[in-house]
Amino acid sequence: AELARRLDRLDRASPHGPWTRRVLRLIAERPGVRAGDLADELGRERLSFKTDVRKLKNLGLTESLPVGYRLSPRGRAYLDRTDR
């Protein structure tokens, strides 16, 4: 519940609207894909996108790869719970 509240807070503070769950699902579907390619899919600027992913990483939801990202076990568990 605390994690959901923190993600909701990030969504509310964002100038481009809710993004947290959308980005988590995109990373889950496309692990190891370059940040620029993921940002393009969402119509986002690369640096802003990377900053947002870093926020998810700080919450323990994503991990950086040599190229791209993947969900952490915590991120996978969160998505599994919310997608049910």
Side-chain angles (χ1 to χ4, degrees):
E2 175 61 25
L3 185 54
R5 280 192 292 276
R6 292 177 81 176
L7 294 175
D8 289 342
R9 191 175 319 128
L10 288 171
D11 285 341
R12 283 192 306 273
S14 172
H16 45 265
W19 61 271
T20 57
R21 282 112 177 140
R22 188 173 176 197
V23 169
L24 286 170
R25 286 186 183 94
L26 183 61
I27 290 171
E29 293 167 4
R30 306 207 45 217
V33 173
R34 288 178 351 117
D37 294 336
L38 296 176
D40 287 346
E41 277 191 50
L42 298 175
R44 300 267 316 269
E45 192 274 324
R46 184 180 61 88
L47 292 179
S48 171
F49 176 81
K50 289 178 79 165
T51 298
D52 282 349
V53 174
R54 199 169 305 115
K55 293 172 188 175
L56 297 174
K57 183 178 181 180
N58 289 340
L59 293 173
L61 299 173
T62 64
E63 299 172 343
S64 295
L65 300 172
V67 174
Y69 313 97
R70 69 176 168 210
L71 291 185
S72 68
R74 183 180 192 198
R76 170 58 52 207
Y78 176 79
L79 272 190
D80 288 348
R81 277 192 308 265
T82 60
D83 286 345
R84 275 190 249 159

